[in-house]
């Protein structure tokens, strides 16, 4: 189950790195999936990078790639920059303040897009924006990778994910776990086909889409 408190901020002053406890639990499983998905070279755009801990881990793991982290929250962008400086990872670009719902993103020449644990902690309009912009940015065959908890018609939802869904709705009625079928439909409307669904630890899954 995704951590209901995305990161700890109690001890984080402005400009200091935040910490997301779930990152340490899921980063190796995500890397294992990404090894078969990411290209050999190019710039990888991460949407909703949060604390920046995934970005620095991916940068260290895939030194031949360049990573462009982003987040709509200025405090998260400061945390991303702080983690990058602390870990001295040279293939991570300065974070961009991007909102999935914005009309345009200030990025170009992207070889792949990653989006981890955003879809359920955002309005549905954010997922619409994500696929719309990805459809314009990515070349045919390029991957869009999503990670998080999702609902599936043919799979019983784990009790922990049901509790997490209630927690999300209590915080914002526009948040919530999305159905894989709805994600597939949104993908198809923007020129993507789902290549695979990968079972992940703690009742999460990876969804891999490719631009047609």
């Amino acid at each position: 189950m995704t951590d209901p408190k995305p990161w700890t901020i109690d001890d984080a002053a402005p400009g200091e790195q935040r910490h997301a406890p779930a990152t340490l639990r899921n980063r190796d499983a995500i890397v294992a999936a990404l090894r078969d998905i990411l290209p050999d070279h190019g710039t990888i755009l991460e949407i909703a990078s949060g604390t920046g801990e995934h970005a620095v881990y991916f940068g260290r793991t895939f030194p031949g790639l360049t990573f462009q982290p982003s987040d709509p929250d200025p405090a998260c962008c400061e945390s991303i920059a702080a983690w990058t400086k602390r870990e001295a990872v040279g293939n991570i670009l300065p974070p961009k303040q991007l909102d999935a719902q914005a009309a345009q993103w200030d990025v170009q020449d992207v070889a792949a897009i990653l989006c981890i644990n955003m879809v359920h902690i955002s309005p549905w309009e954010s997922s619409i924006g994500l696929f719309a912009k990805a459809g314009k940015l990515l070349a045919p065959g390029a991957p869009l990778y999503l990670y998080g908890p999702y609902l599936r018609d043919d799979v019983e939802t784990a009790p922990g994910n049901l509790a997490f869904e209630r927690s999300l709705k209590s915080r914002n009625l526009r948040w919530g776990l999305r159905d894989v079928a709805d994600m597939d439909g949104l993908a198809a409307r923007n020129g993507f086909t789902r290549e695979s669904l990968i079972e992940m630890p703690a009742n999460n899954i990876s969804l891999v889409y490719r631009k047609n």
Side-chain angles (χ1 to χ4, degrees), residues 122-186:
S122 63
W124 178 241
E125 289 79 6
S126 294
S127 294
I128 293 174
L130 169 67
F131 273 94
K133 256 79 76 181
K136 295 176 180 178
L137 277 172
L138 294 177
L144 169 59
Y145 172 88
L146 306 181
Y147 169 91
Y150 290 87
L151 304 174
R152 287 180 277 176
D153 292 339
D154 57 342
V155 177
E156 182 178 359
T157 304
N161 279 357
L162 290 175
F164 185 45
E165 166 83 348
R166 291 192 293 271
S167 172
L168 290 170
K169 293 294 187 184
S170 71
R171 295 160 63 191
N172 190 323
L173 289 175
R174 300 175 69 197
W175 295 0
L177 274 61
R178 312 301 178 185
D179 195 292
V180 170
D182 291 334
M183 302 303 296
D184 289 350
L186 182 57

Side-chain angles (χ1 to χ4, degrees), residues 9 21 36 76 85 101 123 165 197:
I9 60 174
D36 296 326
C76 285
K85 180 178 180 180
Q101 296 186 53
E165 166 83 348
L197 183 157

Side-chain angles (χ1 to χ4, degrees), residues 4-206:
K5 186 178 182 184
W7 46 71
T8 58
I9 60 174
D10 297 338
D11 299 321
E16 292 185 353
Q17 59 265 37
R18 296 179 172 191
H19 171 57
T23 304
L24 296 177
R25 297 193 294 268
N26 63 32
R27 63 185 189 180
D28 288 320
I30 292 173
V31 161
L34 292 179
R35 289 190 187 280
D36 296 326
I37 297 166
L38 295 181
D40 294 330
H41 55 82
T43 298
I44 312 302
L45 172 63
E46 184 184 16
I47 296 299
S49 300
T51 64
E53 293 169 278
H54 276 136
V56 296
Y57 193 69
F58 298 159
R60 190 182 304 115
T61 305
F62 300 101
L65 294 170
T66 300
F67 287 86
Q68 174 62 76
S70 72
D71 201 275
D73 185 347
C76 285
C77 289
E78 291 178 356
S79 177
I80 296 165
W83 275 108
T84 303
K85 180 178 180 180
R86 169 179 163 171
E87 299 297 320
V89 185
N91 58 333
I92 300 179
L93 299 173
K96 288 183 176 289
Q97 191 176 340
L98 298 183
D99 189 329
Q101 296 186 53
Q104 294 182 341
W105 290 346
D106 180 24
V107 290
Q108 56 186 348
D109 298 327
V110 173
I113 296 177
L114 313 179
C115 186
I116 298 168
N117 283 334
M118 181 203 82
V119 169
H120 56 283
I121 314 181
S122 63
W124 178 241
E125 289 79 6
S126 294
S127 294
I128 293 174
L130 169 67
F131 273 94
K133 256 79 76 181
K136 295 176 180 178
L137 277 172
L138 294 177
L144 169 59
Y145 172 88
L146 306 181
Y147 169 91
Y150 290 87
L151 304 174
R152 287 180 277 176
D153 292 339
D154 57 342
V155 177
E156 182 178 359
T157 304
N161 279 357
L162 290 175
F164 185 45
E165 166 83 348
R166 291 192 293 271
S167 172
L168 290 170
K169 293 294 187 184
S170 71
R171 295 160 63 191
N172 190 323
L173 289 175
R174 300 175 69 197
W175 295 0
L177 274 61
R178 312 301 178 185
D179 195 292
V180 170
D182 291 334
M183 302 303 296
D184 289 350
L186 182 57
R189 291 193 293 274
N190 288 277
F192 289 88
T193 299
R194 175 154 58 86
E195 177 181 83
S196 61
L197 183 157
I198 306 169
E199 301 287 352
M200 305 292 280
N203 300 310
N204 291 297
I205 61 175
S206 291

